[in-house]
Amino acid sequence: MSTASYLPAARRAKHRASIRRLAAWLAARATDRKTGLWLVISFALVHAVLWTLILVKLKAAQDVHMDVAEAYAWGQRFLLGYGKHPPLSGWIAGVWFRLFPITNWSTYALAMATLSFALVVCWLIALRVVDRRRAFFMVVMLALYPIFNFKGFKFNADLAQLVPLPLLVLAYLNAFEKRSVKSGLWLGFAAALALMAKYWVLTVIGAIGLAALIHPQRMQFLRSPAPWVAIGTMAVAMIPHLVWLEEVDFLPLTYAGDVYSLSNRALNVELVIGYVGHNLALLAVPVLLGLLALSLSSLRWRPARIWLHEPDPGVNPPQALNIWLIQSIVAIGPPLGALAFTVYIKTDWGIPLFFLLPLALVAIPWLRISRTALLAITVIWFVVTVGMLFAAPAIARREMTSSHAGASTYAARSELARELTETWQTKFHSRWAVVAARSDVGEPMTFYSPDHPAAIVPDEAWSSGLTSLDEAKRLGFIGICDTAEPEYRTPCETWMAEHAKGAEQLVMTTQRFFGGHPGPSTVWKVYLVPPAK
């Protein structure tokens, strides 16, 4: 044999041996009881840091989303509800921004911290269903789901559900297995915490209830104290919020009815199809990348065998069935419900509903997940993440220059907030306390102004409770109308004519520049209402 033919073969053998050693090291850490938790926590922290850096670069030409600014505004006071939604997202934001600065990067860090917390809890869920090797594969697969990276950039009530919902599923699996009073208490508290995020979590609570009733072992569970203690605990824990709900005349339900009720059946069907298609497209990413990792787990130039001849004993069939039932119900139920009740179903409502899908797939007992597959999925995550880190600035510049309808996305609201704060303080020598504007204008004023004024929305029935029109007139306020959209400008000006009589009127123009490229120029009509004497 010639030296020329021998050396490449030797190198390939050495390369394969190196990969095997690395795969064995990763599998050993993932499956060891002492190191497994720290590996997952470390992975979640690295994921959070890298994707925070990516989002800072990717969104550098934009202000924070209005939902993020709204969560920050709610967190200024810890109430039992905020008009549109229960309080959990506001509470989380309130705690976060008492620890971190009020800047764009910290909002992305909050979103990634939320998702990384969910990754760790989902791993704990997986340990009750599959072995540790499959559990770690599921964690990395979930990190590739776009909701857990670039689509999860805005912290709001939808994303906040990924704090309590994984805890709820974990508590249910624990109660289903132990069937004790203590496990029922934890399940009840988890359900109450979930309801404090958004009433949409009733879809998951209902799915858990149906799964418990459908499961072949339902009688053992239903005869135990766990489900009944859970129901009682949830009811008692919800009493303070229910009292608040009655005091505000059920404003969140008014909000839901006014905003999401549809009369157009064709539009309803179109929106449901859009919801299904959008979420299938997002879910295709981790599924296809997971299959790619399984196929690459062979070190030779051929696809790996990904199916076993016999079921893997590393899967717990009763608990796997619970996961399959819950995920199937929350996948099918909401679209069917939206069709039945003619409801406007937003694509964002799928954000908290599919965190169990990777686990449902890796819990297939005949699926073969080798040590090399763990390494392959981790390498894929690393390549995707680092690739996005380097590509993010170019993507941000391209989106800025190619966006012809980005007036709302790229309007310089942060600049407007700083200019209005300076104007108010110069004229009245006091803190700017209240802003009156549409939500996507007023909430960023709260976030970006150093005075953090409370916001009221003209003619909005579901007030957050942070301020009132009477307080606005007493403390003085700044009214803002966006002149770019007549359908919003006219009612805004009508409201100002009624409630801002005698106000000093100004016209301000803002424009953002990024990477040498100008953003859209936005003209704002401003009303300065002085404090009452």
Side-chain angles (χ1 to χ4, degrees), residues 258 378 405:
D258 288 351
T378 306

PDB file of all heavy atoms in Angstrom, residues 258 378 405:
ATOM      1  N   ASP A 258     -64.219  42.456  22.929  1.00  0.00           N
ATOM      2  CA  ASP A 258     -64.183  43.578  21.991  1.00  0.00           C
ATOM      3  C   ASP A 258     -63.130  43.403  20.907  1.00  0.00           C
ATOM      4  O   ASP A 258     -63.340  43.785  19.743  1.00  0.00           O
ATOM      5  CB  ASP A 258     -63.904  44.891  22.749  1.00  0.00           C
ATOM      6  CG  ASP A 258     -65.093  45.341  23.586  1.00  0.00           C
ATOM      7  OD1 ASP A 258     -66.169  44.726  23.445  1.00  0.00           O
ATOM      8  OD2 ASP A 258     -64.931  46.284  24.379  1.00  0.00           O
ATOM      9  N   THR A 378     -26.064  19.165  19.206  1.00  0.00           N
ATOM     10  CA  THR A 378     -25.385  20.272  19.889  1.00  0.00           C
ATOM     11  C   THR A 378     -24.542  21.079  18.917  1.00  0.00           C
ATOM     12  O   THR A 378     -24.514  22.319  18.975  1.00  0.00           O
ATOM     13  CB  THR A 378     -24.505  19.735  21.032  1.00  0.00           C
ATOM     14  OG1 THR A 378     -25.307  18.909  21.903  1.00  0.00           O
ATOM     15  CG2 THR A 378     -23.916  20.877  21.845  1.00  0.00           C
ATOM     16  N   ALA A 405     -42.243  49.778   4.339  1.00  0.00           N
ATOM     17  CA  ALA A 405     -43.456  50.004   5.132  1.00  0.00           C
ATOM     18  C   ALA A 405     -43.133  49.885   6.608  1.00  0.00           C
ATOM     19  O   ALA A 405     -43.939  49.423   7.400  1.00  0.00           O
ATOM     20  CB  ALA A 405     -44.534  48.991   4.742  1.00  0.00           C
TER      21      ALA A 405
END
